[in-house]
């Protein structure tokens, strides 16, 4: 099932966009290899403290002496493998990110519309956001160690997009020609990219936590698992990415409902994509609620986070494939 109605309006831009996709896969693959080298051979170095602390951290009492707010005032020691190769990998990743931006622009110019109107374009845009979130986390939270875990799905998704989901740029079907569609899809892409980084951090946390438990039991941990940063640091990074993505995901669901009403005359129709979007929202809401009210951290909360990430990815790809064909997105 193909929803484009004609070929690209600008052949030169379409050719440039297609060339950049292949180049992006190569560049991200090189960065992935370099991140893996750093993870395997980098020296475990203590990370600078303070990057994850709130500015006003501290225990404080308000005017009502019965209210006492306890917040963390110190950070636990966090170490991660670091090497000059990792800095090169980060630079290569930044180059790939810029190529992704140019690819998105040229794709939009070739199609003469917003450049995320089908599954191929959606995947490319979401990978762009995921890489951008990785670059931000590397700068803000010293989370360069997540490079391997983020770039593996990015390279795989781009490869799947090129091999099985690619369509020529062109106009959209009437149902997608609404200003609410780019609003809805943009919010979905941003949230999905952040959820991807959060999911990568959550999976890394589970590996690091297992390694820490083995060390506590007196066992030696070797390989990449033994060189990961502290589980606490990974948990905080994963949590903050969900805090960023969740309200955007909420807005995406609302915008999608408004578009559905405009296109089909109903806000909710129990479409599988609508249902799975809501299931993901409930899971992430439960995750945030558990952490905010009960102080529930550790493996239990992380598994909820991972489950939410799995449902988001399942909705994006499996549900769209089964119910809408390869080239649609809603």
């Amino acid at each position: 099932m193909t929803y484009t109605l004609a070929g690209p309006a600008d052949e030169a831009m379409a050719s440039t966009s297609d060339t950049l996709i292949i180049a992006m896969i190569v560049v991200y693959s090189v960065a992935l290899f370099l991140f893996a080298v750093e993870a395997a051979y980098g020296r475990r170095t203590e990370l600078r403290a303070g990057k994850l602390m709130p500015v006003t951290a501290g225990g404080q009492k308000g005017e009502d002496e019965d209210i006492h707010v306890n917040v963390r005032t110190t950070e636990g020691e966090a170490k991660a493998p670091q090497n000059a190769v990792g800095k090169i990998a980060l630079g290569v990743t930044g180059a790939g990110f810029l190529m992704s931006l140019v690819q998105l622009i040229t794709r939009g110019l070739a199609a003469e519309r917003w450049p995320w109107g089908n599954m191929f374009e959606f995947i490319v845009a979401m990978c762009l956001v995921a890489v951008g979130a990785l670059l931000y986390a590397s700068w803000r939270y010293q989370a360069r160690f997540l490079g391997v875990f983020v770039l593996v799905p990015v390279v795989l998704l781009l490869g799947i997009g090129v091999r099985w989901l690619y369509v020529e740029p062109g106009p959209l079907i009437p149902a997608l020609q609404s200003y609410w569609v780019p609003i809805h899809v943009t919010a979905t892409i941003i949230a999905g990219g952040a959820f991807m980084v959060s999911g990568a951090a959550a999976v890394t946390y589970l590996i690091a936590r297992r390694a820490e438990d083995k060390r506590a039991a007196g066992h030696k941990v070797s390989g990449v698992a033994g060189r990961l940063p502290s589980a606490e640091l990974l948990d905080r990074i994963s949590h903050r990415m969900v805090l960023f993505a969740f309200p955007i995901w909420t807005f995406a669901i609302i915008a999608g409902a408004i578009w559905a009403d405009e296109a089909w005359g109903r806000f909710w129709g129990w479409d599988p994509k609508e249902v799975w979007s809501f299931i993901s929202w409930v899971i992430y809401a439960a995750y945030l609620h558990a952490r905010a009210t009960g102080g529930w951290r550790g493996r239990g909360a992380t598994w909820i986070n991972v489950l939410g990430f799995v449902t988001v990815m399942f909705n994006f790809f499996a549900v769209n494939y089964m119910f809408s064909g390869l080239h649609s997105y809603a």
Side-chain angles (χ1 to χ4, degrees):
M1 181 185 299
T2 302
Y3 283 158
T4 52
L5 303 179
D10 192 323
E11 293 287 351
M13 287 296 175
S15 177
T16 301
S17 172
D18 293 345
T19 301
L20 283 171
I21 279 288
I22 304 301
M24 285 159 46
I25 294 175
V26 173
V27 169
Y28 285 143
S29 297
V30 171
L32 172 60
F33 173 75
L34 295 175
F35 277 127
V37 170
E38 181 183 45
Y41 300 105
R43 180 181 178 183
R44 277 180 63 82
T45 305
E46 186 172 352
L47 302 178
R48 300 187 307 275
K51 283 291 185 180
L52 290 171
M53 293 300 299
V55 176
T56 58
Q60 299 179 351
K61 288 186 177 181
E63 295 180 1
D64 187 346
E65 293 297 321
D66 292 332
I67 300 176
H68 185 80
V69 179
N70 292 313
V71 296
R72 181 167 34 213
T73 58
T74 60
E75 288 184 359
E77 179 186 25
K79 293 183 178 181
Q82 292 194 331
N83 190 290
V85 173
K87 295 181 179 179
I88 297 174
L90 203 60
V92 174
T93 304
F97 178 79
L98 293 177
M99 293 171 65
S100 298
L101 282 176
V102 176
Q103 190 278 334
L104 212 63
I105 293 170
T106 54
R107 177 82 179 188
L109 292 174
E112 296 185 337
R113 57 171 172 78
W114 44 275
W116 38 84
N118 52 60
M119 278 301 300
F120 170 73
E121 295 171 351
F122 175 80
I123 285 177
V124 174
M126 189 177 70
C127 288
L128 168 71
V129 174
V131 172
L134 170 63
L135 293 173
Y136 174 78
S138 299
W139 167 74
R140 181 67 179 86
Y141 303 139
Q142 308 168 77
R144 197 168 72 209
F145 46 81
L146 289 177
V148 173
F149 297 91
V150 174
L151 288 185
V152 164
V154 165
V155 172
L156 287 175
L157 288 174
L158 289 176
I160 291 171
V162 170
R163 178 62 181 84
W164 287 290
L165 303 179
Y166 178 81
V167 292
E168 292 285 345
L172 300 172
I173 62 172
L176 297 179
Q177 294 173 2
S178 166
Y179 66 88
W180 276 107
V181 176
I183 294 173
H184 161 62
V185 179
T186 299
T188 304
I189 288 170
I190 294 173
F195 282 144
M196 185 183 295
V197 175
S198 176
V203 172
T204 312
Y205 164 86
L206 293 172
I207 299 172
R209 180 64 182 273
R210 181 180 175 84
E212 289 179 359
D213 290 345
K214 286 185 176 181
R215 286 197 194 96
H219 300 294
K220 182 179 179 180
V221 181
S222 58
V224 175
R227 308 172 69 83
L228 292 174
S230 69
E232 181 186 8
L233 177 63
L234 290 163
D235 179 57
R236 279 181 274 162
I237 293 173
S238 179
H239 178 229
R240 294 201 174 188
M241 285 294 171
V242 174
L243 285 175
F244 167 77
F246 182 75
I248 300 176
W249 184 253
T250 304
F251 173 76
I253 293 175
I254 295 172
I258 295 174
W259 163 47
D261 180 63
E262 181 182 282
W264 295 291
R266 48 82 174 167
F267 289 100
W268 186 268
W270 295 104
D271 180 278
K273 289 174 287 184
E274 295 173 338
V275 172
W276 278 100
S277 295
F278 182 68
I279 289 173
S280 300
W281 186 90
V282 170
I283 292 173
Y284 278 116
Y287 167 76
L288 293 175
H289 177 77
R291 289 190 58 115
T293 61
W296 189 28
R297 294 186 173 89
R299 284 193 182 92
T302 301
W303 277 113
I304 296 177
N305 187 0
V306 171
L307 179 62
F309 172 67
V310 170
T311 60
V312 168
M313 294 298 107
F314 177 78
N315 186 23
F316 284 166
F317 305 113
V319 173
N320 267 290
Y321 177 85
M322 289 186 292
F323 294 97
S324 301
L326 284 174
H327 303 138
S328 67
Y329 174 75

